[in-house]
Amino acid sequence: MKDNYYQEKNFIKNYIVAVTTFILTLIMGIVIFFNGVSIAVQKNSKETLITNVARQSEHLNKILKLNYSYLNALAENLSKSEDLFSKNNLHTIKSLMNNTDLDRTAIINTNGDVLYDNEVVKNVAHRRYFKEVMEGKQSLSDPLESSVDQQTRVILCVPIYKDNQVVGAVGGSYNVTKLGNMLFGDLFDGKGKSFIVDQDGNLITKDKEYTKKHNIKVIDNLFDVCKQKKVKQDFKKQKSNLVLIKTNNKSLYLAYSPLKINDWMVGYVVDVHTAQESYTFIAQYETLLASFLGFIVLSLIAYLAYSNSKENKYLIQLSQIDPLTSVYNKETTQAFIEQKLKNKESAVFLILDVDAFKAVNDNYGHAVGDKVLAQLGKLFKNHFRQTDIVGRIGGDEFIILIQDENIAESRIRSLLEKVNELKIEELQGFTLSISIGIAFAPSHGTTFIELYRHADHALYQTKRSGKNNYKIYENDEN
């Protein structure tokens, strides 16, 4: 008794240790998994951001080059004119402005006088871009901020050649702030901010309307906010990259890529949470996964606690089944029928016997005979309802108790047909059949023995009258 006590105590102790170890291991695995997912989300969001910025930088560069090509084509056309400021040329530059993204177009003579498409005349002889274009270079001006709409514009300017001499220039202003916002408008639903800066971090594009709307402090130099040495080094090397910056209790991603014009850089800043917003479904799935795993652990503990009783029930159930036919064995069949008969309810008691079964064993072997019994057991079990009792009491003899007397005969006739139709390859076309004897409870008996005796008598009558049929017990006195 004492030994049993200590054995049980050790079993409980080992059980608790095993479950605790399993739970701790599972928790550690979940933590490692979630941490790995978090790192992957950060990596993917960073790669997506820097890739987009690099692509948009290249796109912006291509757009500026495309506008240069428009201006070069215009310059070639204007070079054929004797008077650069002629009405025909004025009409030509107006037409270019109306058919491109240029805000303003202008013709410039060698003195620096400018005729704009709106017929305003100015002089830009002191401008850097004018001096460069007079030297035969294609030029891009320093950024100019409009006092009207606070948008940043640049002047694209190309020389006009005549007899291999520069006789003037044609230029157009381009709204780079508007272009930057347009390029990045679809990225994170426009929640981030694009900008262009020079190599020293000075902002070329300043969108005052945006900064006012989002209550952002206006800065003139990016390095005043982002003081990481890595960023300055990347700007000098014209290298694409992404860094994390923290300002005003916010974590922001700053991505940048070279524009490849005037050593300018295209930048984009966005809140980290916004950048990772497309991955929020992962956090939801993580919660579901954690809940699911928690449920699994609780279920496992409950299962382990319940497994012994369940196994015992399984063993009990297994002991009730005939292993060959998968229907109830003799002892269980009799016990279940006796239990049903105690309720004094009407029932139909059947004894089924395989016709010529001895011949099957003799001619085809006992292995084939066993297969016949197994197939018949399966057929009987599927043919009758779960509330009916189907059992094998030995050899080729089966007993069935049907609960519903009204459908008994139709079920029996159908069963006879199905047995005749049953095909077993080894029998080589031999047709199986069964004979059935029937007794009714309680009119023919109220106990298993009484019903068995009367049904067996009816079975004998079936065999005598030709088999492959059924007979209902009739009292000899009647």
Side-chain angles (χ1 to χ4, degrees):
M1 187 75 179
K2 189 175 181 180
D3 290 339
N4 290 337
Y5 169 75
Y6 283 115
Q7 288 178 1
E8 184 177 355
K9 187 175 180 181
N10 288 332
F11 172 77
I12 294 173
K13 181 180 178 181
N14 293 335
Y15 177 82
I16 293 173
V17 170
V19 171
T20 303
T21 303
F22 171 77
I23 292 174
L24 291 176
T25 304
L26 183 61
I27 291 173
M28 186 180 299
I30 292 173
V31 170
I32 293 173
F33 172 74
F34 285 174
N35 185 60
V37 171
S38 178
I39 293 173
V41 167
Q42 292 180 25
K43 181 181 178 182
N44 288 340
S45 59
K46 287 180 180 179
E47 289 178 352
T48 300
L49 184 55
I50 195 170
T51 300
N52 271 281
V53 171
R55 287 176 179 173
Q56 300 297 23
S57 174
E58 186 68 27
H59 191 190
L60 178 58
N61 182 274
K62 289 181 180 179
I63 290 176
L64 292 176
K65 286 183 178 180
L66 179 63
N67 282 282
Y68 271 126
S69 67
Y70 292 151
L71 293 173
N72 281 316
L74 179 61
E76 184 178 353
N77 186 49
L78 295 179
S79 66
K80 301 174 184 178
S81 174
E82 295 296 331
D83 180 12
L84 288 179
F85 290 169
S86 67
K87 289 185 177 181
N88 186 49
N89 287 350
L90 179 63
H91 175 75
T92 301
I93 64 172
K94 285 182 179 180
S95 176
L96 178 68
M97 185 195 70
N98 293 331
N99 291 281
T100 64
D101 293 329
L102 295 171
D103 290 342
R104 290 258 79 88
T105 51
I107 304 171
I108 311 172
N109 63 20
T110 54
N111 296 322
D113 296 326
V114 182
L115 174 63
Y116 289 94
D117 56 80
N118 59 359
E119 302 186 30
V120 173
V121 177
K122 288 185 180 180
N123 188 280
V124 293
H126 61 289
R127 298 288 189 183
R128 175 186 59 80
Y129 68 85
F130 171 74
K131 294 175 182 179
E132 288 181 354
V133 84
M134 287 297 106
E135 295 175 1
K137 300 177 182 178
Q138 190 170 269
S139 182
L140 182 69
S141 74
D142 295 324
L144 303 171
E145 186 176 314
S146 171
S147 59
V148 178
D149 58 9
Q150 288 78 47
Q151 298 291 304
T152 303
R153 290 175 171 81
V154 291
I155 306 297
L156 288 74
C157 200
V158 299
I160 299 174
Y161 284 97
K162 192 171 186 178
D163 299 328
N164 294 324
Q165 296 291 325
V166 177
V167 296
V170 62
S173 64
Y174 204 92
N175 188 337
V176 289
T177 300
K178 181 180 178 181
L179 177 62
N181 292 339
M182 178 186 72
L183 291 177
F184 289 90
D186 293 335
L187 188 59
F188 304 121
D189 296 325
K191 295 178 181 178
K193 181 69 184 103
S194 62
F195 53 87
I196 299 176
V197 293
D198 63 19
Q199 193 176 34
D200 297 320
N202 297 311
L203 262 73
I204 294 171
T205 57
K206 298 177 183 178
D207 193 343
K208 291 185 177 180
E209 183 178 340
Y210 180 90
T211 55
K212 182 179 179 181
K213 177 181 178 182
H214 295 275
N215 194 25
I216 300 174
K217 182 181 177 181
V218 179
I219 59 171
D220 295 319
N221 192 288
L222 178 65
F223 298 152
D224 293 339
V225 177
C226 183
K227 299 180 181 181
Q228 299 181 30
K229 292 182 180 180
K230 180 182 180 181
V231 179
K232 294 181 180 180
Q233 293 172 356
D234 289 340
F235 272 45
K236 288 183 179 180
K237 296 178 182 179
Q238 292 288 286
K239 179 182 175 183
S240 299
N241 213 331
L242 179 144
V243 296
L244 177 68
I245 58 176
K246 294 187 177 181
T247 178
N248 298 329
N249 297 322
K250 281 187 176 182
S251 295
L252 306 170
Y253 281 142
L254 169 64
Y256 45 84
S257 186
L259 183 58
K260 299 176 183 178
I261 295 178
N262 287 4
D263 294 330
W264 290 355
M265 301 285 286
V266 176
Y268 186 82
V269 65
V270 65
D271 185 88
V272 171
H273 176 74
T274 300
Q276 298 179 1
E277 198 168 20
S278 60
Y279 298 97
T280 52
F281 72 93
I282 294 179
Q284 297 172 354
Y285 282 123
E286 286 179 340
T287 303
L288 289 174
L289 177 61
S291 301
F292 175 73
L293 291 177
F295 173 76
I296 291 296
V297 170
L298 293 175
S299 299
L300 180 61
I301 294 172
Y303 169 77
L304 291 174
Y306 182 69
S307 59
N308 286 335
S309 61
K310 184 178 180 181
E311 185 176 356
N312 289 336
K313 288 181 179 179
Y314 172 74
L315 292 174
I316 292 172
Q317 183 180 12
L318 194 63
S319 68
Q320 297 174 343
I321 301 299
D322 174 55
L324 178 61
T325 59
S326 297
V327 298
Y328 291 126
N329 57 29
K330 179 180 179 181
E331 293 77 13
T332 305
T333 303
Q334 184 170 349
F336 282 177
I337 290 177
E338 291 282 10
Q339 187 177 358
K340 288 286 186 181
L341 294 175
K342 287 180 181 179
N343 297 329
K344 307 295 183 182
E345 295 178 1
S346 61
V348 183
F349 188 97
L350 311 180
I351 295 181
L352 295 82
D353 190 79
V354 182
D355 296 331
F357 185 68
K358 184 177 183 301
V360 171
N361 280 332
D362 292 342
N363 295 328
Y364 302 101
H366 287 277
V368 176
D370 288 346
K371 185 174 182 180
V372 170
L373 293 176
Q375 292 290 331
L376 287 174
K378 183 179 179 181
L379 174 61
F380 298 160
K381 190 175 180 180
N382 292 333
H383 184 74
F384 294 95
R385 298 176 302 179
Q386 289 184 349
T387 54
D388 298 331
I389 299 172
V390 180
R392 178 187 177 212
I393 61 172
D396 61 330
E397 193 171 71
F398 294 82
I399 287 180
I400 299 172
L401 187 75
I402 302 175
Q403 302 291 300
D404 190 347
E405 187 178 328
N406 296 322
I407 64 169
E409 287 204 59
S410 63
R411 289 271 176 166
I412 293 167
R413 285 192 292 270
S414 174
L415 179 63
L416 290 170
E417 293 176 2
K418 287 185 177 181
V419 172
N420 293 156
E421 295 169 358
L422 187 62
K423 302 297 182 184
I424 296 178
E425 185 178 351
E426 291 83 353
L427 293 182
Q428 302 174 355
F430 179 82
T431 301
L432 288 172
S433 65
I434 58 174
S435 296
I436 304 173
I438 305 173
F440 289 92
S443 59
H444 296 152
T446 57
T447 65
F448 178 88
I449 297 299
E450 288 178 328
L451 291 170
Y452 180 85
R453 188 173 67 251
H454 295 152
D456 187 55
H457 182 77
L459 174 63
Y460 176 74
Q461 297 297 326
T462 305
K463 293 281 189 180
R464 288 186 60 184
S465 61
K467 306 179 182 181
N468 193 26
N469 207 338
Y470 69 92
K471 293 290 184 180
I472 299 173
Y473 171 72
E474 294 181 359
N475 193 321
D476 291 339
E477 295 179 357
N478 296 329

mmCIF file of all heavy atoms in Angstrom, residues 40 84 110 269 472:
data_model
loop_
_atom_site.group_PDB
_atom_site.id
_atom_site.type_symbol
_atom_site.label_atom_id
_atom_site.label_comp_id
_atom_site.label_asym_id
_atom_site.label_seq_id
_atom_site.Cartn_x
_atom_site.Cartn_y
_atom_site.Cartn_z
ATOM 1 N N ALA A 40 11.567 40.389 -39.246
ATOM 2 C CA ALA A 40 11.261 40.251 -40.674
ATOM 3 C C ALA A 40 10.386 41.396 -41.166
ATOM 4 O O ALA A 40 10.587 41.914 -42.275
ATOM 5 C CB ALA A 40 10.570 38.910 -40.926
ATOM 6 N N LEU A 84 14.782 86.168 -82.196
ATOM 7 C CA LEU A 84 14.387 85.229 -81.147
ATOM 8 C C LEU A 84 13.082 85.623 -80.486
ATOM 9 O O LEU A 84 12.302 84.762 -80.053
ATOM 10 C CB LEU A 84 15.492 85.111 -80.085
ATOM 11 C CG LEU A 84 16.760 84.365 -80.502
ATOM 12 C CD1 LEU A 84 17.761 84.353 -79.342
ATOM 13 C CD2 LEU A 84 16.438 82.927 -80.890
ATOM 14 N N THR A 110 21.495 86.749 -75.815
ATOM 15 C CA THR A 110 22.866 86.725 -75.292
ATOM 16 C C THR A 110 23.115 87.818 -74.261
ATOM 17 O O THR A 110 24.110 87.771 -73.529
ATOM 18 C CB THR A 110 23.866 86.860 -76.437
ATOM 19 O OG1 THR A 110 23.556 88.029 -77.220
ATOM 20 C CG2 THR A 110 23.839 85.616 -77.331
ATOM 21 N N VAL A 269 10.419 60.753 -45.704
ATOM 22 C CA VAL A 269 10.330 60.469 -44.274
ATOM 23 C C VAL A 269 8.904 60.031 -43.944
ATOM 24 O O VAL A 269 7.934 60.584 -44.463
ATOM 25 C CB VAL A 269 10.744 61.701 -43.430
ATOM 26 C CG1 VAL A 269 9.781 62.856 -43.628
ATOM 27 C CG2 VAL A 269 10.848 61.333 -41.958
ATOM 28 N N ILE A 472 -41.143 -16.036 -40.428
ATOM 29 C CA ILE A 472 -41.516 -15.535 -39.110
ATOM 30 C C ILE A 472 -42.004 -16.707 -38.275
ATOM 31 O O ILE A 472 -42.748 -17.592 -38.750
ATOM 32 C CB ILE A 472 -42.628 -14.464 -39.231
ATOM 33 C CG1 ILE A 472 -42.121 -13.279 -40.069
ATOM 34 C CG2 ILE A 472 -43.064 -13.978 -37.850
ATOM 35 C CD1 ILE A 472 -43.181 -12.247 -40.403
#
